[in-house]
Every structure is written in C-alpha cells, then in structure tokens.
Amino acid sequence: MADHSRQVRSERADAAKPWPLLVALGLVGSEVGLVVGLLPVAVAGLVVFAASVAGILTDAEYVDRPGRLAAGFGAAFVVIGAVLAAHGTGTLPIGLLEPLSGLTSRGVALVGAGVVTMAGATVLRFRRARDER
C-alpha cells in the first residue's frame, strides 16, 4: 500500500499561500480607493497587487528576482498612468479613450503606485546587497 500523506501535506502547504488573496485585495483596494476618492488607498492597492504578482511568480520559480519584476510593474504603471492622466486632462487626446471618464484620477493613482513600487523595489535591492556582504 502506497503512502500518499506526504503528497497531500505538500499540496495543502502550497494551497495555503496568501498570494491569490493579496492579488484580489490589491485590485479591490485600488478600485475602492478610486471610487471613494481616496488616492492613498488606490495607490496602496496597486502596490499590493504588483508585489503579490511578483511573489506568485517567484514562488512558482518563473523569476529569480522579484524586485526587478516589481520595478518593471512600477515602470509600466508610470507610463500607462502618465498616458491616462495626459488624456484625462486633454493634453494627449486619444480617440479610443474618449467615451471613458475618470481617467485622470486613475492615471495619477497609477503614476503614484509606480513610483512607490519602483522605490520599494530599489530599497529592497540595496538592502539585499548590503546583507550579502
């Protein structure tokens, strides 16, 4: 008779990881922050989302350095947010986005989240390098 108890235990340990919940909370937090008009909540939600996705991909061993991935998310947030904010203020008219509203606040939240995410990734990278010495 084969012993499958170790396999079941390891599957339970993998299922107990917090990443899916954090991804969902990050997205919900960002949207609630935008709807209610609380920019810090929206920014925090987006930062949690980016960090959670980096954590998921690191746990799945798709990436070795989650800081670089998080910094990439931050850079993408800044670029997309800048475009949305520019369109929302009328600086950069984009025909495809014309029927949408609230793009300025979403763009500002994305830019803020991108800056915070990149700053956090940079701080963590320097701390790791210092600790390795």
Side-chain angles (χ1 to χ4, degrees):
M1 200 179 241
D3 181 21
H4 297 289
S5 61
R6 287 185 185 188
Q7 182 180 5
V8 171
R9 238 182 266 131
S10 68
E11 287 175 8
R12 279 190 210 138
D14 288 341
K17 296 201 181 199
W19 301 122
L21 178 64
L22 291 174
V23 167
L25 287 176
L27 288 175
V28 168
S30 68
E31 285 304 312
V32 167
L34 289 170
V35 168
V36 176
L38 296 172
L39 185 65
V41 174
V43 169
L46 288 167
V47 171
V48 168
F49 170 74
S52 299
V53 171
I56 286 172
L57 294 177
T58 302
D59 276 352
E61 298 178 357
Y62 286 117
V63 294
D64 292 330
R65 298 180 184 209
R68 284 188 182 178
L69 182 63
F73 268 112
F77 284 170
V78 168
V79 170
I80 294 168
V83 169
L84 290 179
H87 174 74
T89 59
T91 307
L92 178 68
I94 301 172
L96 185 64
L97 300 177
E98 286 302 322
L100 302 176
S101 63
L103 295 181
T104 304
S105 61
R106 281 175 165 49
V108 170
L110 276 169
V111 169
V115 169
V116 170
T117 303
M118 287 189 300
T122 303
V123 166
L124 289 176
R125 186 177 315 151
F126 283 124
R127 282 187 180 176
R128 263 199 199 127
R130 183 189 67 197
D131 291 341
E132 288 177 357
R133 287 186 216 166

